[in-house]
Amino acid sequence: MITYKKVQIVGEKNQCNGLWYARPVINETFDTEMLSKHMSKHNTPFSPGVIKGVLADMISCIKELILDGKNVKLDDLAIFSVGIVSKKGATSAKEFTVTDNVKGVKLRARATGELSNAQINLEAALKEASQYAIEADGNSGGSSSGNGEDQNENPLG
């Protein structure tokens, strides 16, 4: 069950200013050790330590391959790849430089197979969080202020 809270988008420059959207409530984040312990409880002969070692090696290899310009597909999970974040466009190919036109790189993950967005939409169930504060001005604690990380996030996906 995916729990959500209602959040109002605020910020003059945001096209969604004043509108309300659902945001997931994340109760816990599993690290590699916690995931390995969870996995070991699913009818496997492998100990949490063995699973953690395999996962650590997998993570290391995925990083290595992505930094070498390759995509890595984990079936029914995601395709991991690198993306380039631009500062601005150049007026011509000759005028383009990494220094002037590239802000940096980022990790991308696209759902695949059994974890496709279409499949998640079929299987997901939403439930409003039982308690959270909505302030007098209509904002809940997680509203987007227009200058935070969510500024460029499209609440419609």
Side-chain angles (χ1 to χ4, degrees), residues 17-38:
N17 186 28
L19 300 177
W20 288 83
Y21 295 91
R23 290 285 188 262
V25 175
I26 307 301
N27 297 321
E28 189 173 9
T29 299
F30 273 50
D31 62 13
T32 307
E33 183 173 345
M34 293 169 66
L35 177 60
S36 64
K37 288 178 182 176
H38 175 83

Side-chain angles (χ1 to χ4, degrees), residues 128-139:
E128 187 171 3
S130 57
Q131 291 185 338
Y132 58 95
I134 296 181
E135 299 167 11
D137 64 359
N139 293 325

Side-chain angles (χ1 to χ4, degrees), residues 92-106:
S92 69
K94 187 176 180 176
E95 297 292 319
F96 181 91
T97 65
V98 171
T99 304
D100 291 336
N101 302 103
V102 175
K103 184 176 182 178
V105 294
K106 66 179 179 178

Side-chain angles (χ1 to χ4, degrees), residues 96-153:
F96 181 91
T97 65
V98 171
T99 304
D100 291 336
N101 302 103
V102 175
K103 184 176 182 178
V105 294
K106 66 179 179 178
L107 176 66
R108 299 185 323 172
R110 299 180 311 264
T112 183
E114 291 291 321
L115 194 67
S116 70
N117 289 333
Q119 191 63 37
I120 290 173
N121 274 309
L122 291 174
E123 295 181 23
L126 297 175
K127 175 185 172 188
E128 187 171 3
S130 57
Q131 291 185 338
Y132 58 95
I134 296 181
E135 299 167 11
D137 64 359
N139 293 325
S140 68
S143 65
S144 178
S145 65
N147 60 3
E149 272 185 44
D150 292 335
Q151 180 179 3
N152 296 323
E153 181 181 343

Side-chain angles (χ1 to χ4, degrees), residues 38-51:
H38 175 83
M39 290 173 66
S40 72
K41 295 176 185 173
H42 284 269
N43 297 318
T44 178
F46 303 108
S47 71
V50 169
I51 294 171

